[in-house]
Amino acid sequence: MRRNIVTMLLWFGAAAIFTIHVIMQHRKGKEQVEEISERQLTQVKTTIIERTERENIHQVKQNLNANDDADEKSNNDIDAQNHDRIEEKRESDVNLPAADVNNNNGQHDVGSGSINNQNSLEKAQEEIEKLKVENSRLLEREQQFKNLARRLATQLKGREGGLLPKLDPYLPWIFAITPTYARYTQKADLVRLAQTLLHVTNLHWILVEDASYRTDLVSRLLQESGISFTHLNIRTEPKLQRKKGEKHNKHHRGVNQRNLALQWLRDNVDPQKTPGVVYFMDDDNTYHRKIFDEMRRTRRVSIWGVGLAGGARWAGPIVKNGKVVSFHTNWAPDRTFPTDMAGFAVSLSYLLKEKRDVKFDMNAKRGYLEPTFLAQLTSMDQLEPLAENCTKIYVWHTRTEVPRVSIRGEKMLMKLGKPSDPTIEV
Ligand code: UGA
Ligand code: MN
């Protein structure tokens, strides 16, 4: 009995040892298998990462090329729109030089050789750096697209709002020349004037900023105005700029600007193809829309009276039998043509073809800007009186009051470090 028990225990022990051995072997095998598959997996992963990076870069490259095409297309669209405007050859703000938008091509070269395992990490890092560069380029490009979209949107807004230039192929054009300069009331004056001009058919507005660059304020205003325009700029020469403390009429104003606009007309408009008249408009005057239809009849130089000018209720020509015989004015009556800038218009073809060199004389005596200009063009008996023989006033030499309270108040706020929010355009 005892022997039997011992034999059983021995068998049992042997079986246990065998089982343990089998289990151990199995584990070892499993570990080996796991070890192998993990190694393989890492290899597969590396291959995938490498391939993905290659493909990503290829994709980025393709996107960039596609974007370049899109840019070119946008520029073409804009150019086409600009060409719609007979006049805006170089001046339009909308004209984006292609270089502005087009990114540099061919700078995204990715090494074509295969990435071998030893330096794969190095290569991957290199690729990451390249991707970072591409990313910043794309961000920059996105910003450029946003700007482009904003410009197009403002144009479309003008169209949707029905703010389109009024056109009539049978009417002569009016080329309105306006100098303007930055000041507290500039936008208010320009908005008022723009909205007057919107009523006028076949009007092209040449707005010339007295500044060394074209400002965003004026650019936006023009873009949204719905008016056919050319936007120029020229800073008045220093010796003629108004210094602090000088009276407002110490120097002539708007002379370099008007002369630049005349030059632009001479360079860009063919009066045979586009018959018209030239009219000089201050940005702060008041204009009745009737005056524009009057001046379309100008053959050489037409003339009419101006309200609130010449130190009287009005100043202007006295007409007898359809001819100007004298002038009514309360200021410097001895001038050959004692009239205000707002009181005459000149035929475009006459100015461009027969009087090619005529311009405003910066050295004219105070108050003699208009007379010295007109004397180069006409004589009293040749003047063509309009506005019912100069008996109707359709334009007023209004002047916008300088908003002293606002200016003084703003200076105080600045000192207190609490200026009016400069991002709000006024
Ligand atoms: C009067 C006439 O109406 C002007 O046409 C004429 O140019 C001026 O006299 C002159 O003798 O020089 P006034 O109302 O006194 O004009 O002048 P502003 O309205 O202040 O200026 C005339 C135009 O020039 C305006 O359109 C104004 O925006 C512009 N301007 C004025 C400048 O471009 N830069 C300046 O520094 C000042
Ligand atoms: Mn004025």
Side-chain angles (χ1 to χ4, degrees):
M1 183 68 181
R2 201 185 260 187
R3 219 153 135 223
N4 276 350
I5 292 170
V6 170
T7 314
M8 227 171 79
L9 280 173
L10 277 173
W11 271 111
F12 195 73
I17 289 166
F18 179 73
T19 312
I20 289 168
H21 176 75
V22 167
I23 290 172
M24 291 299 284
Q25 281 300 318
H26 178 72
R27 273 207 184 158
K28 208 175 163 193
K30 210 175 158 201
E31 269 168 17
Q32 270 174 355
V33 169
E34 275 174 2
E35 205 180 288
I36 289 166
S37 56
E38 215 160 89
R39 215 188 304 136
Q40 279 174 343
L41 203 67
T42 314
Q43 236 168 23
V44 171
K45 270 190 198 164
T46 314
T47 318
I48 291 172
I49 288 169
E50 284 169 3
R51 196 181 306 146
T52 314
E53 279 174 357
R54 266 204 301 274
E55 277 167 10
N56 270 349
I57 290 160
H58 182 67
Q59 190 64 35
V60 167
K61 235 182 152 181
Q62 270 189 343
N63 284 349
L64 281 169
N65 288 340
N67 282 345
D68 284 341
D69 289 349
D71 277 352
E72 225 160 75
K73 190 165 179 301
S74 310
N75 279 334
N76 288 343
D77 284 348
I78 290 166
D79 281 349
Q81 281 180 22
N82 280 337
H83 284 135
D84 283 345
R85 295 179 183 280
I86 49 155
E87 56 298 313
E88 279 183 76
K89 284 191 184 142
R90 299 161 297 191
E91 289 67 16
S92 169
D93 244 0
V94 195
N95 263 338
L96 281 179
D100 267 358
V101 186
N102 284 342
N103 220 327
N104 302 325
N105 264 333
Q107 294 196 357
H108 333 288
D109 277 345
V110 180
S112 54
S114 67
I115 305 160
N116 70 38
N117 285 336
Q118 288 99 333
N119 56 13
S120 68
L121 191 65
E122 238 172 56
K123 287 267 182 193
Q125 268 170 347
E126 235 172 66
E127 300 305 349
I128 289 168
E129 285 311 308
K130 279 185 185 167
L131 284 171
K132 276 185 192 165
V133 173
E134 294 303 348
N135 190 42
S136 66
R137 283 215 185 104
L138 284 171
L139 285 174
E140 202 179 292
R141 179 180 294 273
E142 190 185 334
Q143 190 54 47
Q144 288 168 340
F145 266 111
K146 277 184 186 160
N147 290 341
L148 201 63
R150 186 174 53 79
R151 286 161 197 259
L152 289 172
T154 48
Q155 283 199 338
L156 284 174
K157 212 159 61 188
R159 285 187 190 177
E160 279 165 14
L163 298 178
L164 282 169
K166 287 175 143 191
L167 300 174
D168 182 336
Y170 300 105
L171 277 184
W173 277 77
I174 291 164
F175 292 92
I177 296 176
T178 302
T180 188
Y181 71 108
R183 59 196 187 273
Y184 268 54
T185 59
Q186 182 184 32
K187 187 173 180 182
D189 281 335
L190 288 176
V191 165
R192 188 172 48 219
L193 182 52
Q195 294 186 3
T196 294
L197 298 182
L198 209 48
H199 291 284
V200 185
T201 306
N202 288 6
L203 182 131
H204 185 71
W205 195 15
I206 308 174
L207 191 56
V208 194
E209 289 194 67
D210 184 348
S212 39
Y213 57 93
R214 286 172 293 158
T215 63
D216 278 351
L217 184 146
V218 175
S219 305
R220 265 196 298 270
L221 192 137
L222 284 170
Q223 300 277 351
E224 292 172 14
S225 72
I227 298 169
S228 167
F229 67 87
T230 294
H231 185 186
L232 305 174
N233 70 287
I234 182 172
R235 183 80 180 103
T236 296
E237 46 200 286
K239 70 175 165 90
L240 300 162
Q241 283 168 20
R242 185 178 164 206
K243 316 288 174 319
K244 219 178 161 191
E246 274 178 358
K247 277 179 89 176
H248 116 277
N249 61 356
K250 166 100 186 337
H251 307 283
H252 296 302
R253 297 161 291 290
V255 175
N256 292 144
Q257 293 71 30
R258 291 185 190 101
N259 285 341
L260 179 69
L262 288 174
Q263 193 52 51
W264 183 87
L265 282 171
R266 290 181 169 116
D267 292 344
N268 293 278
V269 184
D270 178 351
Q272 230 151 9
K273 285 189 191 150
T274 316
V277 294
V278 178
Y279 184 40
F280 301 101
M281 306 177 79
D282 282 13
D283 61 0
D284 57 347
N285 285 346
T286 306
Y287 303 87
H288 195 293
R289 62 190 169 82
K290 284 184 183 173
I291 196 61
F292 301 100
D293 287 326
E294 288 286 320
M295 69 178 78
R296 278 187 227 279
R297 294 156 41 201
T298 306
R299 278 176 291 151
R300 282 189 165 180
V301 181
S302 59
I303 196 148
W304 54 84
V306 177
L308 314 177
R313 279 179 61 236
W314 63 272
I318 306 288
V319 179
K320 288 232 161 79
N321 302 322
K323 289 267 177 203
V324 176
V325 292
S326 62
F327 281 86
H328 167 73
T329 183
N330 182 34
W331 196 79
D334 296 338
R335 294 174 293 167
T336 335
F337 300 98
T339 183
D340 184 81
M341 198 68 79
F344 64 91
V346 187
S347 140
L348 182 73
S349 65
Y350 181 58
L351 200 55
L352 267 46
K353 289 187 143 182
E354 292 177 51
K355 301 284 175 182
R356 289 160 195 263
D357 301 322
V358 168
K359 55 182 187 175
F360 286 94
D361 177 8
M362 188 50 112
N363 301 315
K365 249 169 66 183
R366 242 178 65 195
Y368 282 73
L369 200 56
E370 296 89 340
T372 50
F373 183 73
L374 284 172
Q376 300 173 73
L377 294 170
T378 190
S379 57
M380 181 118 86
D381 65 318
Q382 286 181 332
L383 284 171
E384 303 153 31
L386 295 176
E388 296 184 27
N389 281 325
C390 307
T391 60
K392 296 284 184 201
I393 297 296
Y394 293 144
V395 52
W396 294 261
H397 183 238
T398 43
R399 305 198 65 242
T400 305
E401 187 187 8
V402 177
R404 296 189 200 287
V405 177
S406 292
I407 296 171
R408 217 180 301 128
E410 194 63 47
K411 276 185 188 158
M412 276 172 60
L413 284 176
M414 279 163 143
K415 268 191 199 153
L416 295 172
K418 290 192 286 185
S420 304
D421 184 347
T423 63
I424 296 182
E425 194 178 270
V426 179

